[in-house]
Amino acid sequence: MKLASLVVEGERRAGAVDVPSQTVTLVPAHIGTVDDIVRGGPAALDAARAAVAHGGPETVALPQVRLESPLHRFNRDILCTGWNYWDHFEESKGRREGQDPQERPRHPTFFTKGPDTVIGPADDIAYDSDLSAQWDYEAEIALVVGRDGRSIPEEKALDHVFGYLVANDVSQRDLQRAHGGQWLKGKSIDATMPLGPWLTTADEIGDLTALRVRCEVNGRVRQDATSGQMAFPVPRIIAELSRGMTLRAGDVVLAGTPSGIGSAREPQVFLADGDVVVTRVSGLGELRNTVRRTRLT
């Protein structure tokens, strides 16, 4: 099931997207929003599926609606995985302004970014050149936790995943390097992370290692990889992140970006006002966002 969020007559509603027919069937309001369905467990998802199977109260054409970010209620910061494609780790060697690790990480590298970064799949990416001169793109697969758990064994990790979405972890490289070697500031600028276009439930993903991740800027391919190239696959990420730390239904986890980022290119290529960024993951959909000058300072 592909769960989207849209506003109908001033009310936020969940909808089930049928990609082949390009339609969205509204989920009855009493079942709740996408956030409610995620936190409601199997019963809430079954109720949404049953309602859609019976035709739902209304079906609208997908091109006629503007989708929001599927999720709006966050338990905490967005949880993120860094350096999770070895090609990406290697491409940035010598470009981290003295912050290079001595060797490849033996465990996933985690950081967080503020939830106010989240925007919808077609919303503008905020851009303020007075704040940063180095706005970079990072196409990523994101997962949503569907069941609480702590110290989750790797072999049971996927049982805790509700579904997957597309994200772009737009980053400000100069801010990322300027604050003591930690990444929070350079990853948490408001209205800079598109998320969506819908939340695809885990049962629809056959091979989690075969998802193709792509990013285009103004029609030119900048990143192109498969999830099988991850240094630490999703079950390992969940197992290590949850060790001694409870993950809760509704938590969002980003799984890292592949090589091709702008700061690692020669010459470097950064985003600018008016750029169109398209982020795609096979089976999960597409984000299409325009970088737009916004006063943030």
Side-chain angles (χ1 to χ4, degrees):
M1 191 174 194
K2 298 184 184 299
L3 288 166
S5 178
L6 60 160
V7 175
V8 179
E9 298 180 350
E11 181 183 16
R12 179 168 294 135
R13 298 283 297 275
V17 177
D18 184 90
V19 176
S21 68
Q22 289 288 284
T23 58
V24 184
T25 300
L26 297 181
V27 174
H30 73 270
I31 294 176
T33 64
V34 178
D35 291 283
D36 294 326
I37 295 169
V38 169
R39 288 168 174 79
L45 182 57
D46 287 347
R49 282 181 166 143
V52 170
H54 288 90
E58 186 179 357
T59 297
V60 295
L62 181 58
Q64 294 179 0
V65 298
R66 186 176 182 88
L67 300 182
E68 303 182 314
S69 164
L71 303 172
H72 293 83
R73 214 164 69 231
F74 299 96
N75 302 322
R76 60 176 113 205
D77 275 6
I78 309 300
L79 304 168
C80 307
T81 313
W83 297 333
N84 199 32
Y85 289 73
W86 289 135
D87 284 353
H88 169 53
F89 177 80
E90 297 294 338
E91 74 175 346
S92 296
K93 273 189 175 179
R95 298 175 179 269
R96 299 186 178 105
E97 299 182 19
Q99 296 176 5
D100 276 306
Q102 294 183 348
E103 60 182 10
R104 286 184 171 188
R106 299 180 183 180
H107 301 274
T109 298
F110 297 122
F111 63 94
T112 69
K113 60 190 291 136
D116 286 336
T117 58
V118 175
I119 59 175
D123 292 343
D124 291 341
I125 296 170
Y127 169 82
D128 188 341
S129 57
D130 291 335
L131 179 67
S132 167
Q134 299 182 345
W135 299 67
D136 209 346
Y137 49 84
E138 293 193 14
E140 307 207 15
I141 297 167
L143 66 91
V144 178
V145 176
R147 197 174 98 197
D148 294 1
R150 183 180 65 210
S151 298
I152 302 166
E154 192 168 339
E155 62 272 16
K156 296 183 178 180
L158 296 183
D159 295 341
H160 290 259
V161 177
F162 182 93
Y164 301 89
L165 338 82
V166 186
N168 199 307
D169 179 23
V170 173
S171 306
Q172 294 70 43
R173 299 301 181 194
D174 41 8
L175 295 183
Q176 186 178 343
R177 312 293 182 218
H179 294 274
Q182 55 79 31
W183 300 347
L184 174 67
K185 181 62 179 179
K187 298 281 191 174
S188 293
I189 301 305
D190 289 354
T192 54
M193 189 185 81
L195 187 68
W198 39 71
L199 173 56
T200 301
T201 53
D203 59 288
E204 288 203 3
I205 307 302
D207 184 355
L208 193 52
T209 67
L211 303 180
R212 189 176 183 184
V213 182
R214 287 169 59 93
C215 180
E216 299 175 5
V217 180
N218 298 330
R220 299 187 64 179
V221 176
R222 299 295 188 184
Q223 294 178 287
D224 191 353
T226 67
S227 53
Q229 296 170 249
M230 286 184 183
F232 305 102
V234 169
R236 176 83 179 274
I237 291 171
I238 295 170
E240 295 227 18
L241 185 59
S242 71
R243 191 176 184 201
M245 170 182 158
T246 301
L247 298 182
R248 301 204 177 276
D251 282 344
V252 178
V253 183
L254 269 59
T257 198
S259 62
I261 60 171
S263 60
R265 291 178 174 270
E266 189 61 55
Q268 291 180 319
V269 179
F270 294 113
L271 298 174
D273 182 43
D275 284 349
V276 177
V277 182
V278 179
T279 315
R280 296 187 181 97
V281 178
S282 57
L284 302 184
E286 172 186 292
L287 313 172
R288 184 175 293 267
N289 308 89
T290 300
V291 179
R292 194 71 71 196
R293 190 175 300 280
T294 306
R295 186 165 183 80
L296 296 169
T297 53

